[in-house]
Amino acid sequence: METLLFAAELVEEDGTYKLVVQDVVRDTVQITPVPKSAVDKLPTFLSALSSKLGTAATRGRW
């Protein structure tokens, strides 16, 4: 059985980006601005993380 602990969204509004992370267990939300340069590197970062952890990249929603 899976238990959702955190949910994250990367949101773009008027050309600015923010990362919204919900802590489902504690019922809190944190919002952090993210520079476009980091957004552009996100696919590469996720691929490298998956490779390092030995997990397959997942596309789409589960």
Side-chain angles (χ1 to χ4, degrees):
M1 181 174 138
E2 293 182 357
T3 302
L4 181 63
L5 301 176
F6 292 92
E9 295 179 310
L10 182 61
V11 179
E12 182 269 332
E13 182 179 0
D14 298 326
T16 61
Y17 299 90
K18 59 186 172 184
L19 179 63
V20 180
V21 179
Q22 178 186 9
D23 182 332
V24 177
V25 175
R26 293 178 181 85
D27 195 29
T28 60
V29 175
Q30 292 185 349
I31 301 172
T32 303
V34 179
K36 183 173 182 337
S37 60
V39 173
D40 293 341
K41 294 177 186 174
L42 188 58
T44 302
F45 172 76
L46 292 174
S47 179
L49 182 62
S50 292
S51 177
K52 183 172 180 104
L53 296 175
T55 59
T58 302
R59 294 184 185 259
R61 292 187 167 255
W62 304 326

